[in-house]
Amino acid sequence: MKLKLLFVIFFSVNLSVAQIAAPPVPETWENDIWLSNQWMHFSTVDYTFNQDCLPVIAVLQVLDFSSNTFIDSARLTTSYNANNLISETVNELWNGDTEIWENDRRSTQAYSGNNLIEIINYLWIDNVWQLDSRITNTYNTNNLIIESVIENRDLNMNAWIPATKQEFTYNAVPLLINTLGSEWDQTNQVWINDGRTTFVYDVNNLLNTKTFEDWENNDWVNDNQEVYTFDSNDFLIETLISNWNASTIVYDLERRELYTNNSQGYYTELIRDNYLLGSWIHASRDRRTYPECYTLNIENNATVTFSVYPIPAH
């Protein structure tokens, strides 16, 4: 059985000083899983940067259990426009039988100034790129994103069909204080509430809690909550995730994330634990090293966070 792990890109659309800044793209990203009371190295992503300290190629290798060696799995190539903003990404999968990289998916990005206004996603089908989905972003006069709509491509109708929508609300700082998610009702041609997230900050404008709610029976009901802890340098060191218990009317601990940061506030280690029977049990670990150019006062303009889907250790 072939193991296929795909690169995906989470565009950190500029939310001003919204919540927690994503770490920059690492030079090496290693992922471990907790197995038999010890860490087992499972995957590695190596990034190559251009002269502007922007990632242009990322190669994912995963552990082949049968041979106990690391083998190629996926490759992501990124292109930029004249403003060092991402213009295109191409994801390829490694074919172990033919030993060549094969196209899998592709994205193109369009901007208004520095604002990302459109992402078009394609799938490689029958040796051609076919339209798959589209993301359209709308901004206010302060260049804050206020709406993001995802549409799927209907090849039979040759049209874009709305799927989901996110709306963003800010306070005067501006900080992101609320997101409202909706799903498109194709039958009635209306948006239906799906979920919302509320952000609460402390007196220093550090994110304190993020609360998620679901829309059920025409009412908002609690779903889960994240609580954030920062050190004296305002670096994130812990995230606690809890699920709402409707029976006891409290949030029950589910998992946590523990961060170890370097002097710049970029995390070098992230340990994910699950809460089981009153104890914390290791689940996975990320280890990151960063290129020297990040410490040489070279501006990094990559407004994108690279990840792997699905996360190998989950």
Side-chain angles (χ1 to χ4, degrees):
M1 181 181 68
K2 293 182 179 179
L3 177 62
K4 292 187 176 181
L5 297 174
L6 310 179
F7 281 107
V8 292
I9 298 179
F10 296 101
F11 286 88
S12 38
V13 180
N14 184 11
L15 298 178
S16 184
V17 285
Q19 63 253 50
I20 299 172
V25 177
E27 187 170 33
T28 301
W29 171 33
E30 296 174 305
N31 195 281
D32 309 320
I33 58 175
W34 185 251
L35 187 66
S36 300
N37 294 319
Q38 63 182 348
W39 292 112
M40 184 183 71
H41 186 194
F42 181 80
S43 69
T44 299
V45 184
D46 290 311
Y47 298 85
T48 302
F49 296 78
N50 63 15
Q51 66 275 12
D52 295 313
C53 200
L54 297 171
V56 290
I57 298 177
V59 177
L60 165 68
Q61 289 191 319
V62 296
L63 179 64
D64 182 348
F65 289 92
S66 61
S67 63
N68 198 34
T69 60
F70 284 85
I71 59 175
D72 288 333
S73 178
R75 180 171 69 178
L76 183 71
T77 303
T78 305
S79 303
Y80 300 86
N81 62 20
N83 295 322
N84 278 343
L85 299 172
I86 292 175
S87 58
E88 181 184 68
T89 62
V90 177
N91 189 88
E92 302 165 285
L93 298 179
W94 178 254
N95 188 321
D97 297 328
T98 60
E99 294 190 341
I100 61 172
W101 291 105
E102 298 178 342
N103 285 331
D104 176 65
R105 57 192 63 209
R106 167 176 168 251
S107 296
T108 60
Q109 292 77 40
Y111 301 84
S112 174
N114 290 328
N115 292 334
L116 178 62
I117 59 173
E118 184 181 67
I119 305 169
I120 299 180
N121 300 310
Y122 304 81
L123 295 178
W124 184 253
I125 301 175
D126 296 330
N127 292 321
V128 295
W129 290 113
Q130 293 191 13
L131 289 168
D132 177 58
S133 61
R134 177 173 71 174
I135 303 173
T136 305
N137 299 323
T138 303
Y139 297 78
N140 63 16
T141 55
N142 295 319
N143 293 319
L144 296 172
I145 186 171
I146 56 175
E147 183 180 272
S148 183
V149 177
I150 298 178
E151 301 168 288
N152 295 322
R153 188 67 175 179
D154 188 315
L155 298 179
N156 294 324
M157 298 176 57
N158 197 30
W160 293 109
I161 306 299
T164 62
K165 178 174 68 171
Q166 287 282 331
E167 298 172 88
F168 307 90
T169 305
Y170 306 84
N171 61 17
V173 174
L175 294 169
L176 180 65
I177 58 173
N178 184 269
T179 65
L180 174 64
S182 308
E183 291 188 346
W184 180 250
D185 184 336
Q186 183 67 16
T187 301
N188 298 305
Q189 297 286 293
V190 295
W191 289 105
I192 304 296
N193 287 338
D194 178 52
R196 71 178 179 185
T197 307
T198 302
F199 302 81
V200 176
Y201 303 85
D202 65 16
V203 293
N204 297 317
N205 289 330
L206 294 174
L207 183 60
N208 188 288
T209 61
K210 185 160 53 172
T211 303
F212 302 86
E213 299 170 282
D214 292 327
W215 183 252
E216 297 179 4
N217 300 319
N218 293 320
D219 197 11
W220 291 110
V221 297
N222 291 329
D223 181 20
N224 58 64
Q225 186 178 75
E226 297 179 1
V227 179
Y228 301 89
T229 302
F230 299 82
D231 64 14
S232 58
N233 295 313
D234 293 344
F235 297 162
L236 178 66
I237 57 174
E238 182 181 67
T239 302
L240 281 177
I241 300 97
S242 304
N243 277 334
W244 179 252
N245 188 323
S247 299
T248 59
I249 318 181
V250 296
Y251 285 101
D252 292 335
L253 287 174
E254 181 188 21
R255 63 187 188 277
R256 70 179 179 184
E257 297 177 347
L258 301 174
Y259 298 82
T260 300
N261 303 290
N262 62 17
S263 59
Q264 296 171 287
Y266 309 152
Y267 78 79
T268 56
E269 182 180 78
L270 165 58
I271 294 178
R272 300 179 183 89
D273 294 335
N274 294 324
Y275 193 70
L276 299 173
L277 302 176
S279 300
W280 291 108
I281 307 298
H282 289 326
S284 66
R285 180 177 67 174
D286 288 352
R287 293 176 287 128
R288 296 181 174 218
T289 59
Y290 299 94
E292 290 185 5
C293 58
Y294 284 173
T295 64
L296 299 178
N297 295 322
I298 297 177
E299 182 181 0
N300 184 281
N301 294 311
T303 57
V304 55
T305 300
F306 292 82
S307 191
V308 171
Y309 180 84
I311 296 176
H314 285 188

